[in-house]
Each structure stands twice: as C-alpha cells, then as structure tokens.
C-alpha cells in the first residue's frame, strides 16, 4: 500500500515530466481510499488555457471518474502550494486535505508569483487593476430568482 510520501512523489514526478513535455513545473494527484484516482499537470501554455493548472486538471478528472462534483473523501497531493484559483477550486470540490511540496514563495522565485492576486482581493472593487462594473442587475437577478424557486435543484 502506498503512503503519503509515495503520492507526493507521484505529483512531483508529474511536475518534472511535464516540464519535458512542454508544460509548467506543476503536478497533482487526487487520492481516494488509498488509491490515486486522478492526475493533473500544468498545461497553461501548451493548451493556451489559463485555467489548466495541475490541481484544476486533477479535480476535473476526479469529478469525471467519480461522476460527482463533491470530492469529499478525497485528498490532493500537489507539487506546489496551490494558487488562489486552485485553492478556491479545492474548497469548492470539498477535498478533505491538501498536501504540497514547494511553497508559493518558491513558485514566485521562478516566475510564478501570485501575490498580486492576493493583494487585489483585499482591495475594494473600485481600486482593483481590472475595472469592475455592475450592469443590468434587475435583469441578472432573474436567474437567481429562478434558482431560488426551483424545487428540484441540486444544492452545492
């Protein structure tokens, strides 16, 4: 039976191999009941997809394999501390635990610096670098009203 270090070594190997295959130096695996059920690596530049981070790719694969969006009972092993987007996805997926190798400081040192995102999130909307404008609230709220009234909705 594998242990946590074995799972982390798999994520690390994915990160190293991915560099050789045109991707970024990030790998992740999702484990359930002592077995790796999904793998992911960073394919942002290879696939021209800014969301194709290792953790996101692994979460998508695990959700497909399990046939559900709630990944409770699973743990993620990732070669680097998750960025804000991946951390949000991990919480939305309800993973039980995060294990990581490199830190966000290590990532920043080699050019993967997410500190500006953390800083932006602390700012009021009007002070953020990407202008944010609310538009057509009265029309947009109709979608929320429809959801609120839907009797057979699947809550998440």
């Amino acid at each position: 039976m594998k242990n946590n270090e074995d799972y982390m070594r798999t994520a690390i190997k994915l990160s190293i191999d991915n560099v050789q295959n045109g991707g970024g130096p990030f790998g992740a695996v999702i484990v359930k009941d002592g077995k790796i059920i999904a793998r992911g690596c960073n394919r942002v530049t290879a696939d021209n997809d800014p969301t194709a981070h290792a953790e996101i790719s692994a979460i998508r694969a695990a959700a497909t394999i399990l046939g559900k969006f709630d990944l409770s009972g699973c743990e993620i092993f990732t070669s680097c501390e998750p960025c804000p987007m991946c951390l949000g996805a991990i919480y939305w997926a309800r993973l039980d635990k995060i294990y990581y190798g490199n830190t966000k400081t290590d990532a920043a040192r080699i050019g993967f610096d997410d500190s500006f995102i953390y800083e932006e999130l602390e700012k009021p909307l009007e002070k953020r670098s990407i202008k944010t404008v609310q538009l057509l609230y009265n029309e947009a709220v109709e979608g929320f009203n429809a959801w609120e009234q839907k009797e057979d909705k699947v809550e998440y």
Side-chain angles (χ1 to χ4, degrees):
M1 182 171 207
K2 291 189 173 198
N3 63 36
N4 290 346
E5 290 179 358
D6 293 327
Y7 302 134
M8 181 58 74
R9 284 189 182 101
T10 300
I12 292 166
K13 182 168 180 1
L14 281 169
S15 75
I16 295 166
D17 291 348
N18 198 49
V19 171
Q20 305 308 315
N21 293 317
F26 304 95
V29 297
I30 294 181
V31 174
K32 181 173 178 63
D33 300 327
K35 294 177 76 173
I36 294 174
I37 62 163
R39 292 170 167 76
C41 52
N42 180 290
R43 304 301 294 169
V44 171
T45 58
D47 294 349
N48 292 315
D49 179 354
T51 68
H53 289 202
E55 298 90 338
I56 300 290
S57 297
I59 288 168
R60 288 175 179 159
T64 297
I65 289 163
L66 295 175
K68 59 184 188 168
F69 58 83
D70 183 339
L71 301 181
S72 297
C74 298
E75 298 177 332
I76 190 165
F77 293 77
T78 178
S79 63
C80 186
E81 185 177 359
C83 75
M85 176 183 68
C86 293
L87 188 59
I90 289 166
Y91 276 95
W92 278 114
R94 296 181 180 92
L95 291 160
D96 291 353
K97 197 167 192 177
I98 303 166
Y99 297 89
Y100 68 92
N102 296 306
T103 67
K104 61 185 177 183
T105 304
D106 297 325
R109 182 180 53 77
I110 63 164
F112 296 93
D113 190 356
D114 299 321
S115 61
F116 74 97
I117 297 173
Y118 290 106
E119 292 165 7
E120 284 288 301
L121 291 172
E122 294 295 319
K123 295 177 184 177
L125 290 175
E126 65 275 1
K127 299 222 182 213
R128 292 184 183 171
S129 62
I130 297 177
K131 298 301 174 206
T132 305
V133 180
Q134 187 175 21
L135 189 62
L136 297 176
Y137 169 79
N138 290 332
E139 293 176 36
V141 77
E142 289 304 314
F144 281 10
N145 292 340
W147 174 258
E148 207 170 31
Q149 294 167 12
K150 184 174 175 60
E151 292 185 19
D152 62 343
K153 61 187 163 206
V154 177
E155 304 235 7
Y156 60 97

